[in-house]
Amino acid sequence: MKKYWLNVLWYGGSLGLLLVALQVFKYKWVLLKNDLEGYVGAVALMFTVIGIWVGSRLLAGKTQPVAAIVTRHSPPDKALLAKHGLTPREYEVLQLMALGHSNQEIAGQLYVSLNTVKTHISSILSKLDAERRTQAVQKAKVLGLLP
């Protein structure tokens, strides 16, 4: 807990010094050169760099590599998917369901909306004649769709 407060004080102090530097910079630049666009651009660039730096510091060690999140298998042949009426996207959703991901997690990994994921899952349940997600995954394994 002590380290947390030290980080807060350090970031707060840094931002305070930055604001003082900006005020000095503003008076020297704007009053002496009268170049407002340059000042605004410099401030925007400075805050962009600081935002990227702070974001990388705050998220350091908290993210997983993509390979650790998504461990999908290569799809079975297209004939097997067509036999059961599954599209390649539905197969991706089925794989993520088998890994135990929630609808929200699936939507995030596939970059689709939550409603789209729900539609795919409903279609998968219908095509595999299942009532629940676990039952659909079990049937997919029996049919050879999932390892």
Side-chain angles (χ1 to χ4, degrees), residues 22-145:
L22 283 174
Q23 289 299 319
V24 171
F25 181 66
K26 179 178 91 172
Y27 288 123
K28 285 187 178 181
W29 187 310
V30 174
L31 294 178
L32 297 178
K33 303 255 185 184
N34 204 11
D35 187 13
L36 186 60
E37 291 83 12
Y39 174 73
V40 171
V43 169
L45 179 66
M46 196 176 335
F47 275 105
T48 300
V49 170
I50 291 170
I52 291 170
W53 179 76
V54 169
S56 67
R57 295 281 300 198
L58 292 176
L59 295 177
K62 294 183 181 181
T63 59
Q64 297 177 354
V66 174
I69 296 173
V70 181
T71 55
R72 300 181 195 146
H73 307 285
S74 59
D77 61 10
K78 293 182 180 182
L80 187 58
L81 284 178
K83 177 181 174 185
H84 299 290
L86 291 174
T87 65
R89 189 58 137 183
E90 289 171 345
Y91 181 71
E92 286 182 280
V93 173
L94 180 63
Q95 286 179 321
L96 292 171
M97 282 173 41
L99 292 172
H101 292 287
S102 68
N103 291 354
Q104 189 67 45
E105 291 170 333
I106 294 171
Q109 287 189 22
L110 297 180
Y111 301 105
V112 296
S113 71
L114 187 58
N115 287 334
T116 302
V117 171
K118 289 178 182 179
T119 301
H120 285 311
I121 291 175
S122 174
S123 178
I124 292 167
L125 294 177
S126 173
K127 291 175 182 179
L128 295 179
D129 193 32
E131 294 180 12
R132 295 177 305 282
R133 294 164 63 113
T134 54
Q135 188 179 13
V137 170
Q138 182 182 14
K139 283 190 175 187
K141 287 180 180 180
V142 169
L143 295 171
L145 293 169

Side-chain angles (χ1 to χ4, degrees), residues 7-20 50 53:
N7 283 341
V8 169
L9 289 174
W10 191 84
Y11 288 133
S14 298
L15 288 175
L17 288 174
L18 177 66
L19 289 174
V20 169
I50 291 170
W53 179 76

